[in-house]
Amino acid sequence: MYALMTEKGYDYSFNPNACAECGGNCCTGESGYIYLNQKEMEAIAAFLELSLKDFKEDYILKNGYKYSLKEKLVGLSHDCIFFNREINGCGIYPVRPTQCRTFPFWDYFKNHKDELQAECPGIIFNTTKEENV
Ligand code: SF4
Ligand code: SF4
């Protein structure tokens, strides 16, 4: 059992134990961007024992000046290219990008709580006014 996670400035907690049952909602479903920087690309390329050039060709798309992981279509779901449905988990977990490491504590979700609640069954909103400050 993992302990509940909290983050200063967020009025919800996250229960990591929910991930085992969830099936990776945050890595699948609607299309989106998983941004990563140069160092993160280098770390994943090394983890996969690929050159940076080969890694970028196979796994990265550019959105303007930013880099994102590609997706793969599985049925109607836009899975992250590294999501492994056999294990219901991330295939590059030790070197996953910061965007993944910091989920679900994203500034974006401070104003999109319904969206977060619908996506992640591990979210527990605080119930007292004091905790919501
Ligand atoms: S959506 Fe939430 S519960 Fe599901 S895998 Fe992602 S973090 Fe875990
Ligand atoms: S890199 Fe891993 S944690 Fe991040 S979206 Fe892809 S499968 Fe999920």
Side-chain angles (χ1 to χ4, degrees):
M1 288 286 281
Y2 299 103
L4 279 189
M5 295 169 66
T6 57
E7 193 72 38
K8 197 165 181 269
Y10 292 82
D11 64 357
Y12 54 84
S13 312
F14 169 59
N15 175 11
N17 301 295
C19 296
E21 301 266 312
C22 164
N25 279 357
C26 54
C27 309
T28 63
E30 285 184 29
S31 183
Y33 293 105
I34 304 136
Y35 290 118
L36 65 177
N37 62 30
Q38 182 71 20
K39 275 197 168 167
E40 290 171 328
M41 288 193 288
E42 288 170 5
I44 300 170
F47 182 77
L48 298 173
E49 299 183 349
L50 291 173
S51 70
L52 188 58
K53 181 175 175 292
D54 287 348
F55 168 72
K56 280 174 145 178
E57 274 174 19
D58 290 346
Y59 296 108
I60 294 295
L61 63 84
K62 279 200 89 176
N63 178 31
Y65 62 90
K66 290 170 142 183
Y67 296 100
S68 171
L69 295 180
K70 287 182 180 176
E71 295 174 327
K72 56 189 173 188
L73 203 55
V74 180
L76 296 175
S77 173
H78 298 264
D79 289 11
C80 169
I81 191 124
F82 288 118
F83 186 70
N84 182 340
R85 282 184 174 255
E86 284 176 18
I87 60 166
N88 263 344
C90 176
I92 55 163
Y93 191 79
V95 288
R96 68 201 186 285
T98 300
Q99 182 174 325
C100 307
R101 289 175 189 275
T102 55
F103 182 89
F105 298 105
W106 295 350
D107 269 352
Y108 173 83
F109 288 131
K110 288 181 177 175
N111 298 314
H112 297 83
K113 290 175 188 165
D114 290 350
E115 200 179 310
L116 176 61
Q117 192 163 34
E119 178 168 340
C120 179
I123 299 301
I124 302 162
F125 286 102
N126 298 341
T127 50
T128 64
K129 275 201 164 172
E130 287 73 24
E131 283 172 318
N132 282 326
V133 172

